[in-house]
Amino acid sequence: MAKKLDKKQKDFCKFKAQGFSNEESAIKAGYAKTTAKTKSHLWLEKSEIKEEIERLQKITQQMADEKFKYDVETSFNKLNQIQELALLPNEKGDYLNLVSAIKAEELKGKLYGCYEVDNKQKTTPMTINFTRDYD
């Protein structure tokens, strides 16, 4: 049976699930700045702490989803709408909002993880059907 968590451990899990760093979570849970970093690393080695953080992260995500009614698909659809509006030509047929359209495309790519932090974009294998043989 898993150990029960004390008040500081529960608070640590709560703050960690809300997105605070390990050290910040330990400080907010009541530990001194001088011991917070060490204590947080010790706690994260315990399975009951990890499980509680995961449980609270799921609850936090569910609450955010309910509050904002916003998810990846909704965001992607809104960016598509913005991009379509940005690509409407004026009376002369010129596109005046190409920068907005490009930005929307970039954000859609980021939303779906097409870009990496170190700027090494992910690649998708491409299938090419040749209509003739090459030697």
Side-chain angles (χ1 to χ4, degrees):
M1 187 163 94
K3 286 183 173 181
K4 290 210 172 215
L5 304 179
D6 65 27
K7 169 106 171 80
K8 286 184 179 181
Q9 290 171 324
K10 287 178 184 177
D11 287 345
F12 171 79
C13 294
K14 179 181 73 172
F15 292 118
K16 186 69 182 145
Q18 292 175 21
F20 291 98
S21 72
N22 298 342
E23 189 173 1
E24 288 173 315
S25 297
I27 292 167
K28 287 181 171 290
Y31 276 85
K33 289 181 182 181
T34 54
T35 60
K37 191 172 187 176
T38 304
K39 198 64 174 169
S40 66
H41 286 290
L42 291 173
W43 281 345
L44 289 172
E45 292 176 4
K46 297 179 182 260
S47 61
E48 59 269 18
I49 296 284
K50 290 179 191 175
E51 290 169 8
E52 181 66 3
I53 291 169
E54 288 174 12
R55 185 183 76 78
L56 292 173
Q57 284 174 331
K58 288 177 186 174
I59 292 169
T60 301
Q61 186 59 52
Q62 287 172 342
M63 290 172 66
D65 290 347
E66 289 173 14
K67 182 176 180 179
F68 297 110
K69 301 283 187 223
Y70 208 78
D71 56 14
V72 172
E73 186 177 354
T74 302
S75 181
F76 189 84
N77 289 337
K78 287 190 180 291
L79 286 168
N80 273 336
Q81 291 172 351
I82 292 166
Q83 191 173 36
E84 287 173 12
L85 289 172
L87 289 173
L88 289 175
N90 64 9
E91 60 279 347
K92 294 179 185 176
D94 297 329
Y95 300 112
L96 300 179
N97 291 313
L98 284 176
V99 171
S100 298
I102 291 167
K103 185 64 178 178
E105 188 65 28
E106 176 189 351
L107 292 172
K108 290 188 315 187
K110 286 181 179 179
L111 186 65
Y112 276 97
C114 294
Y115 303 104
E116 294 182 11
V117 175
D118 58 2
N119 206 28
K120 292 182 180 175
Q121 282 72 26
K122 296 176 183 174
T123 58
T124 305
M126 185 179 358
T127 304
I128 300 173
N129 294 321
F130 292 103
T131 55
R132 63 184 181 130
D133 291 329
Y134 287 89
D135 293 324

